[in-house]
Amino acid sequence: MTAEMLTTILIAMLGGAIRVSTPFLFVALGETLTEKSGRINLGLEGNLVLGAMVAYAVSYHTGSPWLGVLAAGGSGLMLGVMHGVICSLPRVNDIAVGLAMMSFGIGVAFFFGKPYIQPSAPRLEAWPVGGWSDNPALRQALDINPLFFIGIAVAVFLWWGLANTRTGLILRMTGDSEPAARAMGVDPIRVRVLATAAGGFLAGVGGAFLSLSYPGSWNEGLSSGQGLMAVALVIFARWNPLRCIAAALLFGAAGAIGPALQSVGISQGYYFFNAAPYILTLFIMIASARLAAGQDAPGELSITK
Amino acid sequence: MQPASTSAMPVVTLGSTGWRPVAEQVAIPVGALVVATLLFSVVLLVLGKNPVQYFALVWQGGFGTSFSLQNSLQRAAPLVLTGLAFAIPAAIGLTMISAEGALVLGGFAAAAVAIPLVTGAAPVGVTLVVMAVVAMVVGGAWTAIAGWLRHTRGVNETISTLLLTYIAIAIMNFFVEGLLRDPGSANKPSTMPIGKDYMVGAIPGTSVHWGFVAGLVLAVGLFVLMRRTTFGFAARVTGGNPRAALAQGLPVGGLVVACCLISGACGGLAGFYEVAAIQGQANASLVAGYGFTGILVSFLARHNPLVIVPVAVLFGAIEASGGLIQRRMDMPDATALVLQGIIFVVLLASDTLQGRLAIFQPKGDGK
Amino acid sequence: MTTRNFSRRGMLKAGAAGLAAAALPMGWARPARAAGEVVLGAVYVGPRDDFGWNQGHAVAMEILKTVPGVTVIEEENVAETDAVSKSMESMINLDGANLILGTSFGYFDPFMIDLATKYPDVQFRHAAPLWSADKHPMNLGGYFSYLNQAHYVNGVAAGLSSATGKIGFVAAKPIPTVLSNINSVLLGARSVNPAATVQVIFTGEWSMPVREAEAANALVDAGCDVLTCHVDGPKVVIETAEGRGIKSCGHNTSQAALAPKGFITGAEYKWATIYALYADLLGKGEPLPNVVIGGYDNDMVGNTAYGAGATPEAIAAADAAIAGLKAKKPIYVGPLKDNAGNVVLDKTFDNYDPVLDGMGFLLEGVIGSIT
């Protein structure tokens, strides 16, 4: 492999990390928030797909992609509230309801999304951060969507807020020990419904990125399971918003490896290059796993036992 | 004291006393189905469609004729097996998204091992048994990787199984489009067809393949294993409280790996039937989402192997009738997804009523 | 009072109507079908409005709905598993279908072959050139448009509209139909610019928009200044090309509106030609032919009207190429080598030669590999 090929691949990975990571980041942050409260919402794939459709439709009708982003968040919020309220009933299993909500959200998105597959909606404008470079590939890689920066800001804010604010403390306490939260006079159910609703909102915004920025189009195959993967990445990121950024960037960068290798002429075994994000994540998990990993997990979470 | 969510559900055991607990187990889900039906009817009315016609078509397409019933049973066949693949590890407290990968790799391995056997004109019975065994072993071994990683390195099994599923699909695609591609499979890369003579037929008098019977037998067998044997008891104790299980000296690691092997074998067997009864070869059509649907089937059945069968048939019926509804009512395929979503959410929410309706409580119980 | 009464009566009426509607099809088994009447069942592998393959068929199918005595019933999102056998059988058993059109490649073997044997009174037609009289039942058949002819025209127009001579191709899977389209783009481009190359990236999936966008970007970064594709929904590739300020050629249906600045032309199926032929024969009560295949010479493929990206020379050369194809001028003029240097086509082949249907190579000038 020549130095030139290596540069091409690295630039593609940088671009991929920035372009592809945002939906993973939003969904993972939403799920982190929900899981910190002691609930799992496995259905964020539904929020992502519904958010993508709603964002595209609203942007198409109003001409304002940012209104689309808000509406996508709103649709995600509604699914989140549904999940939160239903799982507040005693003996109802949150993982299972999440899977059912996924089917519901995707179904609604497909049902109402039919008329928006063909038209072109106004998309979110990217910021040309790489204007200083004279390498066109690098310039392109650094055309960054504002939602990417918003996602980073939300992650940093969540990381700070969870550790340093009263709300963060209440959230963590509800997630770690329901009796302790009750002893403090906190209503765990209210906290969890709010956390699931907020998580749903973020996942919906992630969907808006898919349809309004990258790849920037609405159709039924748009997500290909990214929401499900992002929920799993939360465990990988050990419920830490900053590690969510790293996980999302890694996943995006690894996803660019397959096409980039083919573009420099290395194409044998492209199925494995295309599976790079999954293989890489698995190896990192095995390498970094320790039996104590569960200690980072909220104590009330049923997935971590 | 926090019980593991996946194993804490109330369970009908054969030894339950009296009719009330059993009636509760039947009446609440049926009531939930009625509520879901009414909810969806409102949706249909808003869309200007006739709910009575809709549900009449669900009945006609899912159960109403002998053809429809067989259609539902055939579609249920893989879901029984993938449902079991989720339910068994769930008993020990594992959330495994592994059935899809086990199905794909197991089916692929079955098709691959059939190539020399079919080419060498081996006896049909021997070939099919070898294919089935290989599918189950490969599915089991693939799934056991996640169990082993969980036990030895503490790698979360939910995420590792999801990752392994994508990797399994890549492996299958790599071989099917490369080394093991049949030259005759021009535009749909596939392994060599095993040929009509080597395929698993239908149950006599029906068009339902034997995979459904295999699912029934396994469901009963696994029910007995999990509820009536020391192994099952130990697994459920571990699922309820792994620390206590370790303290009692239970071989937790062995139990975890054993449950994963059983799960993977069920998934692999589903893959075997997809190859030997449906496709006749391995190709990308093996990736049909049965593994993922099986998770929901298992949850709705509360991970009870016996209940998985009727739940899978309900799924099969909704899918079977979905086409009829598209044709007769001119509604998009997504309608069935919405209906499924509503039914499942309401069914799962109805769990909250378990043990809380006075009529179903044994007399003298203060609840 | 009045309102309440009215609404209750209204509801009763609706209920009764519903019951009547539900009771109607209760002659369960096979609904009566008048003699000579045709119930046509069409089955699609994806949603009917995917802006691609399935939509192309579904739109063309409208022609058949206008024929008196023909009822069209349709089912979408039917996977290439036993779901397709069951859907088709359900059409036959519950709706009395006597003509089935299966529009996805993987429906044929084993599903439609088995069904044709099981239901000898029902006619089956499948959208691929797979049927052969000596191997398959006579109530089965195939129809197919050779889109590679329109991709050849894409190549001609792209070769003269590109500044760098580097054309990028985002492809789903390395199967003969896709390889033929890639090779035809190359041969078209080389016919007007002998130095032209086609660089291909396989995504491995028929529909995976994010990877398609990544592949499109990687091709632009590699220096390509025209993009085309063969995936289920070309929208993402065309929009990415337009967004990066380069030119594009479409696939499947018209994507001209998506790229007002850079669109050159696009390869389009004309299923309507085949379905109109079927409609005509059905209207006259005549049997359908087992095989209908064609390309430019019988109006079964076409090219999208030229867009702003096409240069005047490109338009002239493309029009000439179309005229040649209508006169059955061959695309694969041998001998031709693959991109490893082996002679893979030793002579010139007719555009419909079955040898080409099994194509398993990329020609010299294509950058990429099929494994």
Side-chain angles (χ1 to χ4, degrees):
Chain A
M1 194 185 295
T2 65
E4 193 189 343
M5 284 156 79
L6 195 64
T7 316
T8 308
I9 294 167
L10 287 177
I11 290 180
M13 285 174 72
L14 172 71
I18 293 168
R19 288 190 293 252
V20 180
S21 63
T22 309
F24 286 108
L25 179 59
F26 273 96
V27 176
L29 289 176
E31 185 67 15
T32 301
L33 203 58
T34 306
E35 292 194 11
K36 276 283 181 189
S37 79
R39 282 259 176 84
I40 295 172
N41 183 358
L42 217 52
L44 290 187
E45 171 80 8
N47 298 42
L48 189 80
V49 173
L50 183 61
M53 188 281 285
V54 168
Y56 204 74
V58 169
S59 173
Y60 176 69
H61 285 299
T62 66
S64 161
W66 285 105
L67 265 182
V69 173
L70 265 186
S75 70
L77 183 94
M78 273 168 37
L79 289 183
V81 169
M82 267 176 80
H83 183 278
V85 170
I86 291 168
C87 295
S88 297
L89 300 168
R91 318 188 73 147
V92 175
N93 182 287
D94 49 355
I95 299 181
V97 171
L99 287 167
M101 291 291 301
M102 183 156 89
S103 167
F104 178 72
I106 294 175
V108 172
F110 287 4
F111 190 92
F112 291 103
K114 299 277 181 202
Y116 303 105
I117 293 172
Q118 209 142 336
S120 261
R123 291 190 269 168
L124 295 165
E125 295 287 335
W127 291 344
V129 178
W132 49 269
S133 167
D134 49 8
N135 180 334
L138 188 59
R139 268 213 307 277
Q140 170 63 26
L142 292 179
D143 265 357
I144 302 179
N145 191 285
L147 273 180
F148 175 76
F149 295 110
I150 295 175
I152 303 274
V154 170
V156 174
F157 174 76
L158 281 182
W159 169 74
W160 173 82
L162 280 170
N164 297 308
T165 64
R166 194 181 139 71
T167 317
L169 178 72
I170 290 173
L171 189 72
R172 283 186 294 130
M173 178 166 295
T174 310
D176 282 332
S177 163
E178 199 174 312
R182 284 194 195 282
M184 284 231 328
V186 171
D187 175 6
I189 288 185
R190 220 183 90 195
V191 173
R192 286 177 183 158
V193 171
L194 288 174
T196 314
F201 180 90
L202 288 175
V205 173
F209 181 89
L210 279 181
S211 63
L212 294 180
S213 174
Y214 195 79
S217 172
W218 160 248
N219 67 58
E220 296 184 7
L222 183 61
S223 148
S224 54
Q226 289 180 55
L228 200 60
M229 197 60 236
V231 169
L233 282 182
V234 173
I235 305 167
F236 179 63
R238 295 196 204 125
W239 299 270
N240 178 330
L242 293 188
R243 289 211 200 103
C244 284
I245 302 179
L249 286 175
L250 172 85
F251 220 72
I257 292 177
L261 280 175
Q262 286 193 58
S263 83
V264 298
I266 301 171
S267 50
Q268 296 237 321
Y270 64 89
Y271 271 106
F272 291 113
F273 299 140
N274 284 340
Y278 313 113
I279 298 171
L280 211 63
T281 311
L282 186 63
F283 276 116
I284 293 178
M285 280 191 72
I286 295 171
S288 67
R290 54 209 159 100
L291 281 169
Q295 283 171 3
D296 295 331
E300 295 274 328
L301 221 52
S302 54
I303 206 165
T304 52
K305 291 169 295 280
Chain B
M1 284 307 285
Q2 179 76 11
S5 67
T6 44
S7 55
M9 298 299 184
V11 154
V12 196
T13 54
L14 296 177
S16 298
T17 48
W19 59 273
R20 287 168 196 274
V22 179
E24 179 177 38
Q25 296 289 317
V26 175
I28 292 180
V30 169
L33 275 179
V34 172
V35 171
T37 306
L38 291 176
L39 273 177
F40 190 69
S41 300
V42 174
V43 177
L44 287 171
L45 283 173
V46 170
L47 295 170
K49 300 282 179 180
N50 180 343
V52 179
Q53 186 192 4
Y54 189 95
F55 287 103
L57 288 175
V58 171
W59 176 258
Q60 189 191 352
F63 303 103
T65 71
S66 137
F67 167 78
S68 303
L69 187 61
Q70 293 178 40
N71 188 353
S72 302
L73 294 181
Q74 171 109 344
R75 287 175 197 257
L79 302 181
V80 173
L81 290 167
T82 55
L84 290 171
F86 187 83
I88 301 307
I92 199 167
L94 299 176
T95 308
M96 309 270 291
I97 310 185
S98 54
E100 184 85 2
L103 186 157
V104 167
L105 267 195
F108 164 68
V113 78
I115 296 173
L117 292 170
V118 170
T119 316
V124 173
V126 175
T127 306
L128 286 175
V129 169
V130 171
M131 285 171 71
V133 169
V134 166
M136 290 168 76
V137 168
V138 168
W142 186 254
T143 310
I145 295 176
W148 180 75
L149 284 174
R150 160 87 204 193
H151 184 68
T152 57
R153 311 253 334 145
V155 176
N156 180 285
E157 79 284 0
T158 310
I159 176 164
S160 68
T161 47
L162 186 59
L163 295 167
L164 284 167
T165 297
Y166 287 110
I167 297 170
I169 294 170
I171 293 175
M172 188 272 295
N173 274 324
F174 175 76
F175 283 108
V176 165
E177 291 191 6
L179 221 56
L180 292 180
R181 177 170 178 174
D182 179 51
S185 66
N187 277 311
K188 184 161 187 189
S190 307
T191 57
M192 192 189 87
I194 60 174
K196 284 274 167 287
D197 299 340
Y198 281 89
M199 286 187 68
V200 174
I203 303 165
T206 73
S207 62
V208 182
H209 67 71
W210 283 100
F212 187 76
V213 175
L216 271 181
V217 171
L218 266 175
V220 173
L222 289 174
F223 179 84
V224 172
L225 177 74
M226 298 313 282
R227 314 274 185 207
R228 290 280 176 276
T229 65
T230 329
F231 172 85
F233 179 73
R236 283 187 295 145
V237 168
T238 310
N241 189 339
R243 280 178 215 289
L246 271 175
Q248 285 173 21
L250 288 176
V252 172
L255 287 169
V256 164
V257 170
C259 285
C260 289
L261 283 172
I262 296 174
S263 157
C266 291
L269 195 62
F272 162 75
Y273 279 108
E274 282 307 296
V275 166
I278 309 280
Q279 303 281 356
Q281 52 195 351
N283 54 41
S285 293
L286 288 178
V287 190
Y290 295 134
F292 293 116
T293 311
I295 300 173
L296 207 44
V297 169
S298 179
F299 266 113
L300 286 171
R302 299 202 201 92
H303 315 310
N304 180 331
L306 288 184
V307 183
I308 281 177
V309 177
V311 172
V313 173
L314 174 70
F315 265 83
I318 292 178
E319 277 170 28
S321 60
L324 190 64
I325 286 156
Q326 281 188 45
R327 276 143 36 204
R328 296 275 175 85
M329 296 183 73
D330 194 24
M331 297 183 76
D333 177 55
T335 327
L337 268 180
V338 177
L339 172 64
Q340 271 185 27
I342 292 180
I343 289 183
F344 303 150
V345 170
V346 176
L347 264 176
L348 293 165
S350 77
D351 279 347
T352 195
L353 297 177
Q354 298 284 353
R356 293 167 83 197
L357 296 181
I359 182 173
F360 295 123
Q361 301 317 310
K363 294 211 169 119
D365 188 326
K367 256 193 170 172
Chain C
M1 274 296 274
T2 343
T3 335
R4 205 169 175 183
N5 255 336
F6 177 78
S7 80
R8 190 189 292 167
R9 203 179 302 146
M11 272 178 70
L12 281 174
K13 234 190 255 168
L19 279 175
L24 273 179
M26 284 190 190
W28 302 123
R30 277 189 198 217
R33 185 178 57 231
E37 199 185 323
V38 174
V39 177
L40 186 161
V43 185
Y44 311 99
V45 73
R48 263 179 289 173
D49 27 27
D50 63 350
F51 206 2
W53 173 265
N54 296 299
Q55 187 167 338
H57 279 283
V59 169
M61 206 72 74
E62 296 295 321
I63 291 176
L64 285 160
K65 293 183 184 168
T66 62
V67 183
V70 174
T71 312
V72 177
I73 51 176
E74 299 174 283
E75 218 176 300
E76 63 181 358
N77 273 341
V78 179
E80 293 173 349
T81 63
D82 57 332
V84 62
S85 325
K86 291 299 168 191
S87 285
M88 289 177 176
E89 277 198 276
S90 173
M91 289 173 158
I92 295 164
N93 285 319
L94 301 181
D95 291 331
N98 51 4
L99 169 60
I100 300 279
L101 300 182
T103 63
S104 187
F105 190 89
Y107 287 171
F108 189 74
D109 190 1
F111 308 112
M112 288 182 77
I113 299 174
D114 289 351
L115 285 175
T117 315
K118 186 172 175 185
Y119 296 96
D121 299 339
V122 178
Q123 290 291 318
F124 294 84
R125 292 296 179 273
H126 174 249
L130 290 174
W131 182 86
S132 73
D134 46 338
K135 277 198 293 190
H136 301 127
M138 290 307 289
N139 57 330
L140 179 60
Y143 58 97
F144 197 62
S145 300
Y146 281 71
L147 194 67
N148 72 304
Q149 300 182 13
H151 270 286
Y152 177 84
V153 177
N154 275 359
V156 171
L160 287 174
S161 301
S162 161
T164 62
K166 290 166 97 171
I167 299 165
F169 198 114
V170 179
K173 287 171 180 265
I175 58 170
T177 325
V178 178
L179 297 177
S180 179
N181 286 339
I182 298 168
N183 289 329
S184 297
V185 169
L186 176 89
L187 292 172
R190 289 231 157 152
S191 73
V192 293
N193 175 4
T197 59
V198 172
Q199 181 161 11
V200 58
I201 291 185
F202 292 103
T203 63
E205 304 288 340
W206 287 106
S207 174
M208 184 160 284
V210 173
R211 199 177 291 153
E212 287 154 16
E214 279 299 293
N217 274 309
L219 288 168
V220 182
D221 290 344
C224 299
D225 68 348
V226 177
L227 284 191
T228 186
C229 63
H230 184 162
V231 291
D232 267 357
K235 194 179 177 190
V236 165
V237 174
I238 306 298
E239 287 187 333
T240 305
E242 185 79 354
R244 297 280 311 251
I246 65 159
K247 296 180 178 180
S248 55
C249 291
H251 169 77
N252 238 334
T253 52
S254 171
Q255 284 99 37
L258 299 176
K261 290 201 286 272
F263 194 77
I264 299 171
T265 179
E268 287 187 43
Y269 285 108
K270 288 191 166 179
W271 299 116
T273 307
I274 301 172
Y275 292 148
L277 169 75
Y278 282 4
D280 183 47
L281 292 171
L282 291 173
K284 287 190 273 189
E286 288 174 21
L288 303 183
N290 281 94
V291 178
V292 182
I293 57 169
Y296 254 114
D297 48 327
N298 47 6
D299 196 30
M300 280 169 56
V301 299
N303 274 79
T304 318
Y306 301 107
T311 60
E313 313 86 78
I315 293 172
D319 281 340
I322 291 172
L325 288 166
K326 283 184 174 163
K328 297 178 184 286
K329 193 179 162 198
I331 291 172
Y332 290 92
V333 180
L336 288 168
K337 287 182 186 167
D338 68 8
N339 61 4
N342 312 309
V343 175
V344 282
L345 295 175
D346 55 350
K347 60 182 180 76
T348 299
F349 285 88
D350 178 76
N351 287 339
Y352 303 105
D353 195 303
V355 167
L356 300 176
D357 290 340
M359 188 177 293
F361 50 79
L362 291 167
L363 291 174
E364 186 176 22
V366 178
I367 304 162
S369 134
I370 57 173
T371 49

